[in-house]
Amino acid sequence: MHRYMIRYSKKDPARYTAHLDLIRELERSMRRAKLPVAFSEGFNPHPRMSIAAPLPVGTEGLAELAEVEMTREVEPVQMVESLNAVLPPGLKVLEVAAISSATPALMAALERADYIVRLDGEDLPAPLPNAAIQEFMTRDCVEIRRRGKDGKEKIRDIRPGIVKVEVLPAEDGLCLRMELKTGSVMNVRPAEAITALFEHAGIKVDPADLQITRTGLFLAG
Amino acid sequence: MDKRLEKALRRVQKPGRYTGGEWNAVYKDWPNTGVKMVFAFPDVYEVGMSHLGLQIIYHAVNSREDALLERVFAPWADMEKQMRETGLPLFSLESRRPVRDFDILGFTLQYELSFTNILNMLDLAGIPVRRDDRATGVYPLVVAGGPCAFNPEPLADFIDVFIIGEGEDAVNDLLDACLESQRGGENREQFLLRLAKIGGFYVPSLYRVEYNDRVNLEKVEPAVAEAPAVVNKRVVTNLGEAAFPTRPLVPVIEAVHNRAMLEVQRGCTRGCRFCQAGVIYRPVREKEPQTLVRQAEEIIHNTGWNEISLSSLSTSDYSRIKPLVSELTGSQTAAGVNISLPSLRVDAFSVDLAKEVQKVRRSSLTFAPEAGTQRLRDVINKGVTEDNLLEAVSAAFAGGWQAVKLYFMIGLPTETDADLEGIADLARRVLERGRRLSRSPGRIKVTVSVSSFVPKSHTPFQWEPQDNMDELKRKQAFLKQRVRGRGLVFNYHDPEGSFLEAVFSRGDRRLATVLEAAWRAGSRFDGWSEFFNFERWMTAFEATGIEPAGYAHRRFEYDEILPWDHIGAGMNKKYLVREHRRALDGEITPDCRAGKCPGCGLCPTLEIKPSLAGGETVAPLHDSLQ
């Protein structure tokens, strides 16, 4: 088997494509590109392909990661070209690299994700003071409620997962850059971190107004 | 618009329904395209995107340089709320332009219970729902086509032009007329007169309708010379050469059917007497197997789908089905593409086909005997015997399937409790057969699904009343008592929806008021149980003084003027009367594929002939070969 890592972007309109639909879309695209994708065994064979960290619907991704196995070797440059010729609007492959079969799964190696969060002026009831951010970052503990897979609400401390928050210049409203832990060990969703931050600052914003872009995913080591 | 749209998209459950961006979507240069049309499907994205007709029309229009076709679907309740709150108008998926900016807005009428969505979509587009209120102001021409256009009358006050029959050629005539009308600087009135002269185009404002009392029509007649007394349906003469989408749109979110659709033939001449599709798609026209194999390859290549469905009514009737399936399983299955046959006849031959395409017996096989006794199957002219069914299920169980679904209809003309007993008996016999033949008898499952008979225009049963709801409920309860026990599953729908379908399928123009009242009171997505509110409908009937039973439960007389008499499906009304009488006498009428013309009158009226693969005009039925 030949393993490849794919770095791709997921922008408008594809940013509204949900995770499972994206997998199906990539599967069809690979078939359109006539790539020799490897399939699992069994009655219901599915392509040996995985996405490192699913993006929430509506969130833009500038450099997402996926990995795929092929039954024979394919030139990475050629894979970039043939995929880009058949991907629907909003999806674009930026880079393909062969990875050794000994490399752990991308999903397991994932450590951090960077985000840009924008909020229009009309959606921001009060300016967010820099001091509030600094204060927020000095807290030992940021507790949030998250609904688990069993449907039960759990209280979790996400503070260890918030690596960095900084304000970027914005013409209108607010623009924040955030580094958050992501992956199987510690995973913080951007909307959770932002909501906690605004709660801390005593400013009420509607999470649905947040315009979130994931700018990069980073692997451990 | 874009900011408002983005805000709305962040607040709805499935924004992918409104964003477009599908593979094979066509984006055209707006200012440099002569005529702009938007195809409106009055249901949610996932349903509309599963519809082959949309793909065909999309391809037919966008293949032209002087025209563009974009799409719009009914916004789900969460999106409607956002749109109404922010004033975001209904917009197309491709260019995200307001629907109001298009020259033509074309609705497809697939089922009666989507009618309120049409009004809602017009309203969300900022277009007055009634055509009289559109007389002043610039609005798109509102067109409608599809199966329910065969009785267009309940929608006549809302739609400018109906296109009766098949759309591939007709839509081109519509666009040509629009371009010519634009060049001539015509006003709306002149444009409508121009359209009324095109075959298959029904312009309801050009007809006078008079009623003689609360119940009957006195007359329906053209008010101008341009309008024909009868508007006959359009038929595509050469289906193999007709526009067929080999670059279909691939839905971005999982649609009801997310697979390639290959239409192998159009029409079914079996002549089941309740079936409107059999009438409106008549005569049978088969495509050549070579054409189909080529189209299958192209579609798979252009979409990346791994399933292709051979679609048509009663696909096993396609005279070259066996060689076609062998060819496709040879070429496509090897490439990892599955083939599905969604509409199969009830016989062993069909099960053999299913076996050939489905190497792994995942799902169940579905058969539609429609009625429980031979007597009633003869009444409805369903050419299926109990032996056919038992042979078919035997072949299925022996072939490894463990579940079969049986479709029946209740409330059919002349039905008695003995016919219902017959349904239960058949189900039990099928179950026994399965247990005897299967290697794991304990896992055999027989699902019985019953729907309620809805009389449809242009069929031999168009005069027949629907059972009242109490009677339908009694029959359902009767069956529920009998179709039970291990291995048997009984499914049915509440009869209220079927009742409304019957009202609208046999309705006239007077229903416009009740449709509007129900919509204004909040009715939408009536085909969806989570939205359907029958009480709201009954309130609307009361408020407008319309007695729905007069449409659904009344036996229409042979000599009365029917609301759809001025719409021609090609079959002679005298033939329908004869068929209705034969039905009551339990006389069957053979399929004209076998070579014996029963004289329905369609071919001479529409100047067309049945056409089979290989250039033959008639074919022996597979049944008669066995």
Side-chain angles (χ1 to χ4, degrees):
Chain A
M1 286 301 156
H2 303 267
R3 273 177 81 193
Y4 298 88
M5 186 202 75
I6 302 175
R7 197 182 295 275
Y8 65 98
S9 58
K10 184 174 182 268
K11 299 183 184 174
D12 216 15
R15 69 184 162 113
Y16 295 104
T17 304
H19 178 61
L20 285 177
D21 290 322
L22 176 68
I23 291 192
R24 281 187 278 259
E25 189 63 64
L26 292 176
E27 191 182 328
R28 285 189 298 262
S29 299
M30 304 255 176
R31 243 183 266 122
R32 291 196 289 262
K34 307 249 184 295
L35 289 169
V37 180
F39 276 79
S40 64
E41 307 279 315
F43 282 136
N44 238 328
H46 56 268
R48 301 187 67 90
M49 179 176 73
S50 64
I51 286 173
L55 268 179
V57 173
T59 300
E60 190 178 44
L62 300 186
E64 295 295 297
L65 290 174
E67 67 165 285
V68 64
E69 284 181 31
M70 302 278 166
T71 55
R72 56 182 165 77
E73 203 178 340
V74 182
E75 199 57 48
V77 181
Q78 193 221 315
M79 208 191 292
V80 174
E81 265 176 37
S82 56
L83 273 173
N84 280 337
V86 297
L87 280 171
L91 290 177
K92 192 179 171 198
V93 172
L94 309 170
E95 182 197 0
V96 171
I99 46 178
S100 91
S101 49
T103 317
L106 287 183
M107 209 183 275
L110 207 59
E111 192 181 45
R112 205 188 85 209
D114 286 5
Y115 296 89
I116 299 274
V117 182
R118 289 186 185 81
L119 206 56
D120 288 346
E122 59 179 51
D123 301 327
L124 189 66
L128 181 70
N130 255 324
I133 299 177
Q134 276 152 21
E135 215 181 276
F136 177 72
M137 292 303 285
T138 55
R139 277 171 59 172
D140 297 333
C141 166
V142 176
E143 284 191 333
I144 58 136
R145 284 166 193 280
R146 186 189 284 177
R147 207 174 282 279
K149 274 184 185 148
D150 53 1
K152 278 182 200 149
E153 266 198 1
K154 282 188 192 124
I155 292 178
R156 292 189 60 224
D157 178 17
I158 58 166
R159 178 60 193 85
I162 304 173
V163 182
K164 191 174 178 181
V165 178
E166 59 180 343
V167 178
L168 298 185
E171 275 178 30
D172 166 55
L174 178 71
C175 183
L176 290 173
R177 204 184 82 86
M178 295 193 304
E179 293 178 13
L180 302 176
K181 284 267 170 67
T182 195
S184 44
V185 185
M186 179 79 215
N187 193 54
V188 180
R189 298 171 194 163
E192 289 172 342
I194 287 284
T195 309
L197 171 62
F198 276 108
E199 251 169 46
H200 175 86
I203 301 171
K204 209 171 156 44
V205 297
D206 184 344
D209 285 325
L210 301 172
Q211 300 157 45
I212 306 172
T213 299
R214 182 151 76 192
T215 53
L217 289 170
F218 303 90
L219 306 178
Chain B
M1 168 124 168
D2 256 316
K3 204 78 206 173
R4 263 185 298 173
L5 174 58
E6 247 185 71
K7 277 185 162 266
L9 291 178
R10 284 199 298 266
R11 287 169 164 79
V12 296
Q13 206 195 349
K14 290 187 176 177
R17 286 168 170 162
Y18 316 101
T19 57
E22 296 87 352
W23 181 246
N24 290 333
V26 179
Y27 300 88
K28 287 202 170 182
D29 180 18
W30 183 276
N32 291 314
T33 304
V35 52
K36 292 123 180 154
M37 179 167 173
V38 57
F39 186 104
F41 199 104
D43 208 320
V44 73
Y45 179 90
E46 298 93 305
V47 174
M49 282 299 288
S50 306
H51 181 239
L52 180 59
L54 180 157
Q55 303 271 14
I56 292 176
I57 302 298
Y58 193 75
H59 167 74
V61 178
N62 285 324
S63 307
R64 291 170 60 127
E65 291 208 338
D66 54 0
L68 62 79
L69 183 75
E70 303 193 356
R71 290 162 297 147
V72 63
F73 299 89
W76 197 244
D78 56 353
M79 187 61 169
E80 179 182 347
K81 182 169 172 277
Q82 293 301 321
M83 293 171 78
R84 293 204 183 273
E85 275 175 17
T86 62
L88 176 71
L90 191 72
F91 58 92
S92 68
L93 264 50
E94 279 80 359
S95 65
R96 298 188 181 176
R97 277 173 196 269
V99 159
R100 236 190 108 162
D101 291 355
F102 287 78
D103 300 310
I104 303 169
L105 164 57
F107 284 98
T108 179
L109 311 177
Q110 296 296 317
Y111 22 84
E112 290 85 1
L113 297 185
S114 68
F115 286 179
T116 49
N117 280 5
I118 295 175
L119 271 55
N120 201 40
M121 288 171 81
L122 286 169
D123 187 58
L124 284 169
I127 299 171
V129 296
R130 285 186 173 262
R131 63 175 153 74
D132 283 348
D133 298 332
R134 301 196 289 263
T136 54
V138 181
Y139 300 105
L141 181 79
V142 181
V143 180
C148 294
F150 277 82
N151 179 21
E153 294 306 275
L155 291 172
D157 289 355
F158 309 105
I159 303 291
D160 298 319
V161 186
F162 291 93
I163 298 182
I164 313 300
E166 295 169 358
E168 302 77 340
D169 296 339
V171 75
N172 279 311
D173 293 348
L174 172 68
L175 300 169
D176 289 340
C178 187
L179 286 164
E180 272 171 48
S181 172
Q182 282 172 359
R183 277 194 288 269
E186 292 177 353
N187 62 25
R188 179 54 60 88
E189 216 171 305
Q190 292 165 315
F191 184 26
L192 288 173
L193 289 174
R194 171 188 286 278
L195 292 171
K197 288 186 276 190
I198 306 174
F201 284 52
Y202 170 55
V203 182
S205 60
L206 304 182
Y207 291 76
R208 260 194 304 268
V209 180
E210 287 171 28
Y211 307 92
N212 56 14
D213 54 39
R214 294 276 302 138
V215 177
N216 281 332
L217 281 167
E218 177 68 28
K219 65 178 167 200
V220 178
E221 57 177 22
V224 294
E226 284 84 350
V230 174
V231 178
N232 278 320
K233 75 174 183 190
R234 295 289 292 262
V235 232
V236 172
T237 318
N238 191 330
L239 197 65
E241 282 169 22
F244 192 78
T246 52
R247 287 194 153 275
L249 293 148
V250 182
V252 279
I253 54 178
E254 185 74 342
V256 177
H257 302 299
N258 203 351
R259 58 190 177 207
M261 280 176 281
L262 182 63
E263 189 182 24
V264 299
Q265 62 179 352
R266 199 172 288 175
C268 169
T269 40
R270 301 201 142 238
C272 297
R273 290 170 176 136
F274 56 83
C275 178
Q276 193 190 39
V279 178
I280 64 187
Y281 297 111
R282 197 172 266 234
V284 161
R285 285 144 294 155
E286 296 187 347
K287 282 158 74 172
E288 295 295 334
Q290 309 88 283
T291 310
L292 293 168
V293 169
R294 197 192 66 233
Q295 290 180 339
E297 274 166 20
E298 286 176 27
I299 298 175
I300 293 302
H301 173 79
N302 291 333
T303 60
W305 268 316
N306 62 353
E307 184 177 354
I308 188 159
S309 129
L310 303 186
S311 63
S312 75
L313 301 163
S314 194
T315 308
S316 21
D317 285 347
Y318 174 57
S319 65
R320 302 295 161 91
I321 188 68
K322 197 103 198 175
L324 176 69
V325 164
S326 304
E327 173 77 31
L328 290 179
T329 43
S331 55
Q332 296 298 341
T333 314
V337 176
N338 295 315
I339 293 157
S340 62
L341 297 158
S343 172
L344 286 178
R345 210 170 53 203
V346 186
D347 55 22
F349 173 82
S350 301
V351 177
D352 283 344
L353 288 175
K355 265 198 258 184
E356 197 168 342
V357 302
Q358 220 184 66
K359 302 290 181 226
V360 184
R361 316 268 185 254
R362 289 191 199 100
S363 47
S364 60
L365 279 188
T366 302
F367 302 103
E370 307 288 4
T373 59
Q374 196 56 48
R375 185 201 67 80
L376 191 52
R377 285 193 295 272
D378 288 347
V379 167
I380 63 176
N381 203 41
K382 182 86 194 181
V384 168
T385 62
E386 184 167 332
D387 283 347
N388 290 147
L389 178 65
L390 290 175
E391 273 169 29
V393 298
S394 301
F397 292 128
W401 276 278
Q402 291 175 337
V404 298
K405 277 187 197 150
L406 304 176
Y407 280 14
F408 293 96
M409 230 182 254
I410 56 168
L412 285 163
T414 78
E415 183 184 64
T416 67
D417 286 358
D419 300 301
L420 302 177
E421 292 278 12
I423 293 177
D425 287 347
L426 265 186
R428 280 191 294 264
R429 237 164 285 165
V430 169
L431 182 66
E432 274 165 33
R433 189 61 67 100
R435 288 186 172 155
R436 189 144 29 99
L437 290 171
S438 171
R439 263 170 287 166
S440 36
R443 294 172 69 176
I444 295 296
K445 193 171 100 177
V446 177
T447 303
V448 171
S449 263
V450 297
S451 60
S452 302
F453 165 69
V454 176
K456 294 276 184 175
S457 78
H458 302 90
T459 65
F461 286 168
Q462 62 182 353
W463 296 280
E464 285 286 338
Q466 185 180 55
D467 272 350
N468 67 47
M469 285 182 281
D470 287 342
E471 178 64 359
L472 289 171
K473 282 180 187 160
R474 184 192 69 81
K475 287 178 175 176
Q476 289 172 341
F478 183 96
L479 278 170
K480 208 176 163 182
Q481 281 278 318
R482 285 159 180 82
V483 184
R484 61 196 248 183
R486 191 176 150 78
L488 289 175
V489 179
F490 181 63
N491 286 337
Y492 62 98
H493 294 288
D494 288 337
E496 286 83 4
S498 309
F499 169 68
L500 265 194
E501 275 176 27
V503 171
F504 281 94
S505 83
R506 298 207 303 168
D508 56 35
R509 291 190 182 193
R510 289 172 293 190
L511 288 179
T513 55
V514 73
L515 182 60
E516 189 177 345
W519 163 68
R520 288 203 187 276
S523 291
R524 323 255 187 282
F525 288 104
D526 294 302
W528 294 75
S529 55
E530 63 261 57
F531 289 108
F532 184 58
N533 182 330
F534 188 60
E535 271 165 40
R536 192 159 52 207
W537 271 101
M538 292 317 283
T539 311
F541 278 112
E542 264 165 47
T544 51
I546 289 170
E547 180 45 66
Y551 296 101
H553 299 149
R554 185 172 70 87
R555 178 175 296 283
F556 289 8
E557 303 298 328
Y558 286 149
D559 59 2
E560 77 177 81
I561 295 169
L562 301 175
W564 52 89
D565 271 350
H566 55 299
I567 304 298
M571 273 197 195
N572 196 317
K573 196 172 176 183
K574 281 193 191 121
Y575 176 80
L576 294 179
V577 171
R578 198 169 84 206
E579 273 295 286
H580 184 237
R581 291 197 166 123
R582 287 174 71 86
L584 300 182
D585 293 340
E587 301 256 7
I588 56 167
T589 300
D591 189 334
C592 70
R593 259 179 193 269
K596 195 163 176 268
C597 170
C600 77
L602 182 129
C603 294
T605 304
L606 303 177
E607 295 176 10
I608 190 167
K609 272 186 181 164
S611 61
L612 303 180
E616 291 167 50
T617 53
V618 292
L621 289 171
H622 294 291
D623 306 359
S624 56
L625 289 175
Q626 287 175 358

